[in-house]
Amino acid sequence: LAVSAGTDFLLCDEAFDGLDPVSRQTIKKAIIEEIDERGLTVVLTSHNLFELENLADHVGLLNNGALLFSSSVDEVRGQLRKVQYVSEQPVEPQVLFAGCTVLSEEKRGRLCTAVVRGSRERTEACLRRVPMVYCEDIPLSLEEIFMTEMEAKGYETDQIGV
């Protein structure tokens, strides 16, 4: 009904909650068609970030009524990298990614996973300094971006919602 009203803006709060997968896709398709055909501006809020993964071109993160950041999805993804690597010689992520900001790191045996704030060019330059056995750049989901940004702002994610 909201789309059929022909407004310039559409504000949706948890628009897809409770919908079965077919209805969810039908609504998403209708919204995308309106965006394409008449330039509709849509603001969607959701706790289910996976639902927004292929819809959003701009994201903002609200917490306790404050806007923590607002940016294009491409810009956010361009500045955050999730890198898995095994180096020939052990090297700590903080050392490897000098000049970038290591936001999180995890080790499983020799396999290291680091989420790094820095441009693709900068992180790739860091990775070229050390011989690698294995190295992969893994795209971050919106949920991973949200969690990373929350942690970067000092929120203990294991305490959120407790």
Side-chain angles (χ1 to χ4, degrees), residues 43 86-87 97 108 115 119 121 139 159:
V43 176
V86 176
S87 54
F97 294 105
R108 291 188 181 152
V115 177
S119 69
E121 296 80 17
Q159 299 297 313

Side-chain angles (χ1 to χ4, degrees), residues 4-137:
S4 67
T7 61
D8 292 335
F9 296 92
L10 182 61
L11 306 175
C12 301
D13 184 24
E14 303 291 351
F16 308 113
D17 273 8
L19 297 177
D20 63 79
V22 174
S23 297
R24 183 178 293 120
Q25 289 304 322
T26 301
I27 302 263
K28 284 182 179 181
K29 183 179 177 190
I31 290 172
I32 290 169
E33 286 173 359
E34 292 296 312
I35 291 169
D36 287 343
E37 288 175 14
R38 61 183 183 89
L40 175 67
T41 298
V42 180
V43 176
L44 292 166
T45 64
S46 181
H47 288 92
N48 184 347
L49 301 180
F50 180 74
E51 288 182 335
L52 305 179
E53 198 71 42
N54 60 355
L55 274 177
D57 59 5
H58 195 95
V59 293
L61 176 58
L62 292 171
N63 186 267
N64 292 328
L67 184 63
L68 298 181
F69 81 89
S70 174
S71 181
S72 77
V73 172
D74 290 341
E75 187 176 316
V76 171
R77 286 196 168 123
Q79 289 300 311
L80 288 176
R81 315 236 68 74
K82 182 177 183 180
V83 181
Q84 281 190 334
Y85 66 93
V86 176
S87 54
E88 287 184 9
Q89 299 297 317
V91 58
E92 293 298 316
Q94 300 290 344
V95 173
L96 177 61
F97 294 105
C100 298
T101 304
V102 177
L103 300 172
S104 69
E105 58 185 84
E106 180 183 334
K107 292 183 184 176
R108 291 188 181 152
R110 291 183 55 203
L111 178 66
C112 296
T113 303
V115 177
V116 181
R117 186 180 311 282
S119 69
R120 176 179 297 276
E121 296 80 17
R122 180 72 190 134
T123 56
E124 286 177 357
C126 291
L127 290 165
R128 283 192 298 270
R129 296 186 309 207
V130 175
M132 293 289 169
V133 174
Y134 165 79
C135 185
E136 182 178 12
D137 192 345

